[in-house]
Amino acid sequence: MDPCPFVRVLVGNLALRMPVAPPAAGAGAGVHPSTSPCHCKIRLGKMPAQLVPAPLAPSDSGEQAPASGALAAAFHLSKADLEWFNGKPSLFSSRGEATLKVAVYAGRKGSTCGVSSGRLLGKATIPLDLKGAEAKPAVLHSGWISIGKRAGKGGPAAAELSLTVRAEPDPRFVFEFDGEPECSPQVLQVRGSMKQPMFTCKFGCRSNSDLRRPGMQPEAPGKERKGWSVTVHDLSGSPVAMASMVTPFVPSPGTDRVSRSNPGAWLILRPAGDGAWEPWARLECWRERGGAGASDSLGYRFDLLLPGVDHAVPLADSSISSSKGGKFAIDLTAAQPLSRGGTPGCSPRGSGDFSNWPLGNYRGFVMSAAVQGEGKCSKPAVEVGVAHIGCAEDAAAFVALAAAVDLSMDACRLFSHRLRKELSHPQADLLR
């Protein structure tokens, strides 16, 4: 298996240094960060902006930028993104101009009606040279940069922001379902324009209720979705991973939606030999009610089940828009600090000592699965970090997880909606 080139751009070691007196006029007038928290809005090219706190540094901290080790933001670039950034600019395109834009605000992070909260203190634009970034790591910027204008001759100096920007290779294996998981599709490995079969999936739906939670009774016939499973086979036909629905998806009393307090659940299983299976992880899903003017979302929680550990280890807890779809992601990059050298640490202290790292061998970007919203044809696309795949069975486990996430979008549909026939009728070729 050959991976695809990816690059992650890491921003860390943030510190804000303000003049002794605030500017007399203009943006930020009357606001001084000594009495108000500050935050940064960081954007790379056309990628979504990220909001992070901006800690204060002493005004006499000198020229050397602080090295707190804190990672503030991470951007993940595919080969297509790199080609876009590294392409030749034209009259109608800004290609070739990879720029990191940072806006600093006084006030707590957040937004109102799409407008960032807080008062703007200043902005900075940092050009980034991403050529060769997929081959070797590089520090693209490190030090102080001005984010505002000096308030007249003899006035206080402009505010300054310190940050470190680093790019490093992050190769990934990419897989794509050639059909919806409930239609028992093939799974293809993708590398550039090349696609080749890697796995096959088999969907099953048990009609019995042996997986029902003890004491749980459905409100009425058809008021539960249960017994679904997806088994992943290699090209020789051997089963190498399975996602099995172990807790039915049922509506909360008096409603037609699966609630967070009573989620449905899947076990992701791996072969244990002699036809047996062992649990690798657990996925819980439910339906989150949207706010004013917002659509509902699929909430999820993913826990790792480590051998010899008597409790589940949480790796992801987030949501995906039910109408638009989105990405299920396991990304631990933010849990790892930026070391003084700019490289993400391998342990919470960045010391290289793994003994206190609670997540086993899972570090940095782990995987993502892109799924479509309700009622749309969904063929999940899966990315898995190279460090997390040692064999085909490892990849199959993530493929099974992606199938479970996609199927949960249907399992969490309002119970007033009818499911497609592949999901609502038990199948004869049940999986064992």
Side-chain angles (χ1 to χ4, degrees):
M1 296 193 303
D2 294 324
C4 296
F6 279 76
V7 168
R8 59 180 180 181
V9 176
L10 307 175
V11 182
N13 294 335
L14 283 184
L16 179 63
R17 187 165 60 188
M18 293 293 296
V20 175
V31 177
H32 196 274
S34 61
T35 57
S36 177
C38 297
H39 67 275
C40 294
K41 182 179 181 180
I42 305 175
R43 184 188 299 273
L44 175 58
K46 57 184 178 181
M47 310 189 84
Q50 300 181 32
L51 294 178
V52 298
L56 285 175
S59 58
D60 58 351
S61 55
E63 291 301 316
Q64 184 171 356
S68 64
L71 178 65
F75 299 91
H76 302 269
L77 309 181
S78 66
K79 183 178 180 180
D81 294 325
L82 293 171
E83 290 175 345
W84 189 88
F85 281 126
N86 294 330
K88 294 182 179 180
S90 68
L91 292 175
F92 307 102
S93 171
S94 59
R95 288 165 62 101
E97 299 179 359
T99 55
L100 189 77
K101 297 182 179 180
V102 184
V104 183
Y105 297 86
R108 300 189 182 278
K109 62 181 180 179
S111 62
T112 303
C113 300
V115 179
S116 296
S117 62
R119 183 169 297 185
L120 180 66
L121 296 177
K123 297 181 179 180
T125 299
I126 304 171
L128 304 181
D129 183 3
L130 296 176
K131 290 183 174 64
E134 68 273 21
K136 62 179 181 179
V139 175
L140 306 179
H141 173 86
S142 183
W144 294 97
I145 187 169
S146 174
I147 61 167
K149 296 181 179 180
R150 190 181 183 92
K153 187 175 181 180
E160 294 178 297
L161 181 72
S162 170
L163 73 164
T164 299
V165 184
R166 181 179 174 86
E168 60 182 30
D170 188 23
R172 303 174 187 179
F173 292 105
V174 179
F175 305 96
E176 184 180 282
F177 288 67
D178 72 353
E180 297 175 287
E182 61 267 31
C183 297
S184 299
Q186 277 192 324
V187 178
L188 311 174
Q189 185 185 356
V190 180
R191 196 177 194 280
S193 60
M194 297 179 58
K195 297 182 180 182
Q196 61 182 17
M198 188 69 188
F199 304 108
T200 60
C201 292
K202 189 67 174 178
F203 176 77
C205 181
R206 281 179 282 184
S207 59
N208 61 336
S209 57
D210 58 340
L211 294 179
R212 187 182 303 160
R213 183 179 296 170
M216 179 183 295
Q217 296 294 330
E219 287 187 345
K223 277 289 189 177
E224 62 178 3
R225 293 159 185 164
K226 62 185 180 184
W228 300 356
S229 63
V230 174
T231 304
V232 181
H233 298 81
D234 61 20
L235 296 182
S236 70
S238 300
V240 285
M242 177 188 285
S244 179
M245 188 186 287
V246 292
T247 302
F249 286 69
V250 298
S252 293
T255 75
D256 62 350
R257 64 180 61 231
V258 180
S259 69
R260 181 167 190 154
S261 61
N262 188 29
W266 300 78
L267 275 184
I268 312 301
L269 304 153
R270 302 186 62 171
D274 298 326
W277 296 90
E278 62 181 3
W280 168 66
R282 180 181 175 90
L283 172 71
E284 293 183 340
C285 294
W286 58 91
R287 190 179 181 95
E288 295 273 13
R289 191 181 297 274
S295 65
D296 287 355
S297 61
L298 175 74
Y300 64 82
R301 174 187 172 91
F302 178 78
D303 293 334
L304 195 65
L305 306 177
L306 294 172
V309 179
D310 60 359
H311 62 276
V313 179
L315 290 192
D317 188 342
S318 189
S319 62
I320 303 170
S321 170
S322 296
S323 60
K324 298 179 181 179
K327 279 193 175 183
F328 167 91
I330 306 172
D331 189 354
L332 306 177
T333 303
Q336 298 176 205
L338 202 73
S339 73
R340 292 181 181 273
T343 305
C346 295
S347 71
R349 296 183 181 275
S351 63
D353 176 12
F354 301 156
S355 59
N356 294 322
W357 183 242
L359 306 177
N361 294 323
Y362 294 90
R363 291 179 291 276
F365 171 83
V366 179
M367 71 89 71
S368 69
V371 298
Q372 297 296 319
E374 292 177 339
K376 300 176 182 177
C377 179
S378 186
K379 301 176 181 180
V382 187
E383 298 171 7
V384 187
V386 166
H388 306 294
I389 293 185
C391 61
E393 288 184 1
D394 294 339
F398 289 110
V399 167
L401 172 59
V405 173
D406 187 85
L407 288 167
S408 294
M409 189 69 77
D410 290 297
C412 287
R413 288 197 77 174
L414 296 175
F415 277 75
S416 56
H417 291 217
R418 187 183 299 273
L419 296 182
R420 57 184 298 171
K421 63 180 181 179
E422 289 86 354
L423 294 167
S424 55
H425 295 291
Q427 298 182 7
D429 52 341
L430 303 181
L431 299 174
R432 300 297 181 187

